[in-house]
Structures are given as structure tokens and as C-alpha cells.
Amino acid sequence: SPEAGRILHSLQVENTKIGYVPQSPAMLNESIASNVALGAGEREIDVSRVEYALMKAELLSFVQGLSGGIHSKSGHDGGEMSGGQKQRVTIARAIYNEPQILILDEFTANLDLNTQRRIFENMLDLPQKPTIIAAIHDLSLLKFFNTIIFIDKGSIRAAGPFNKIVEECHDFRAFFSSGGHDASECEALGGRTF
């Protein structure tokens, strides 16, 4: 936990829709639709929004292939689904609520590189154009962000657009070139605003 610091920018969050995708997805033993529209009663679930969110999360064709479609049960803690499928349900959950801010914590850790990129491109194409803040497993996605913060041993070492940080920060260049594997105490966070 932080021991020192200061707030550099205050963010007004009242009445702001925030979507959060955790690294470890949490699932209820309910229908896929209920897991996507978490908190909505069965009668309140907007089926077209569920399907749209599943499409953006690259999961709709899989779900449509299930005998119950979006009404299929996910199983206890998503036990009927793979890790990548559960991850995509949580991505769809965040998209379903049409957030203004999307917070993504290693949101593609259980997905192959092609699926990661397609989902991320789908997020960039959302009509509400949310601000995206992400801790990313696939460092090649950092190129899509207009602001990157490079943290090494708990200290911010560089911040700015990708090309600027690559050019000016040797440690980030080495971190990026290694795919993040040579620096166990480093993190790269991306931010995308429209």
C-alpha cells in the first residue's frame, strides 16, 4: 500500500459509468446473460445489449453454438467455460453497461494474441468512446494508447506517448523489447482518451 504521494488530477466519478475487467474473472452459477448483465433482474436484461457485448468480447459465436444460447448456465464459478471464455464474459460485462471509463487489469491474460488484439480493437470502436486505463499483458497493445506510464520498482520512470517513451527511456525500450519478461518489478500502464 502507498506510503506517500499526492493527487495530481482529481477525477469526477459521480454519475460516471465505470467498467472494470479484473485479471481473475468472477462468475455466478447463472445464465451467461445474467453474468454479462450482472445486477439486472432476468426481466431487465437487454438481450440485444448482451449479444452486442458478447460480440465485442469475441464470444458471441461460441455462445450462440450452445444449446441454450445466452441462457446457458455458466456453471459454478464458470466451471462450464474455459479461462479465456470466462475472461471474455467479464469483458462483455464491462461493455454491457456502456461505460465512460474502462479499467482493464491484465484483461487479456487468458487469451491468445489474435483474440486479444481483436477485442482491444473492438473496444476502441465502442460508440461511447470510453477512456481506457489498462495494465496490459501483451505489451504490443501499448502502441494503441495515447499515454503510457512506465513504472519501475514502484516509481514512475517515464510517461507520455509510446514513441516518445521508446525514444527517451532506455529502461522502457529494454522492457518493451523483452516483452516485459526481463523486468519483474516493472509495469506498463496505458491510457486512451478520445
Side-chain angles (χ1 to χ4, degrees):
S1 62
E3 294 178 17
R6 54 190 181 125
I7 296 174
L8 300 176
H9 186 331
S10 176
L11 177 65
Q12 178 71 25
V13 293
E14 186 176 321
N15 298 322
T16 299
K17 291 182 181 180
I18 298 174
Y20 173 65
V21 180
Q23 183 176 3
S24 300
M27 303 280 292
L28 301 175
N29 187 15
E30 297 290 336
S31 70
I32 292 171
S34 293
N35 272 285
V36 171
L38 191 65
E42 277 300 316
R43 293 183 184 157
E44 299 167 340
I45 295 174
D46 183 330
V47 171
S48 63
R49 277 181 43 207
V50 168
E51 290 174 342
Y52 174 80
L54 288 168
M55 178 195 64
K56 290 295 189 181
E58 297 287 327
L59 194 61
L60 183 59
S61 61
F62 165 78
V63 171
Q64 288 175 331
L66 298 173
S67 61
I70 65 171
H71 303 291
S72 299
K73 296 282 187 186
S74 65
H76 178 70
D77 199 27
E80 298 297 317
M81 306 177 89
S82 72
Q85 291 163 343
K86 291 191 289 188
Q87 193 77 52
R88 286 182 279 171
V89 168
T90 61
I91 292 166
R93 181 184 300 154
I95 292 169
Y96 177 84
N97 289 313
E98 301 172 335
Q100 296 164 303
I101 299 172
L102 266 173
I103 301 172
L104 312 171
D105 180 10
E106 298 280 356
F107 75 109
T108 60
N110 295 311
L111 304 174
D112 65 85
L113 293 176
N114 289 330
T115 304
Q116 288 179 33
R117 288 190 183 104
R118 285 194 315 270
I119 290 171
F120 193 74
E121 288 170 358
N122 290 342
M123 287 181 171
L124 295 177
D125 194 39
L126 292 171
Q128 73 273 21
K129 302 293 185 207
T131 295
I132 300 172
I133 302 166
I136 297 179
H137 185 73
D138 177 8
L139 296 181
S140 68
L141 293 178
L142 288 174
K143 295 175 183 178
F144 289 101
F145 288 94
N146 50 22
T147 302
I148 297 165
I149 300 171
F150 177 60
I151 302 169
D152 183 14
K153 297 178 184 141
S155 297
I156 295 175
R157 297 289 309 277
F162 178 82
N163 290 337
K164 177 182 180 235
I165 294 178
V166 166
E167 184 179 309
E168 295 177 3
C169 183
H170 170 69
D171 290 339
F172 178 76
R173 203 167 38 253
F175 176 70
F176 184 77
S177 296
S178 74
H181 301 294
D182 291 342
S184 61
E185 295 185 44
C186 297
E187 294 182 63
L189 304 174
R192 171 79 185 212
T193 56
F194 295 91

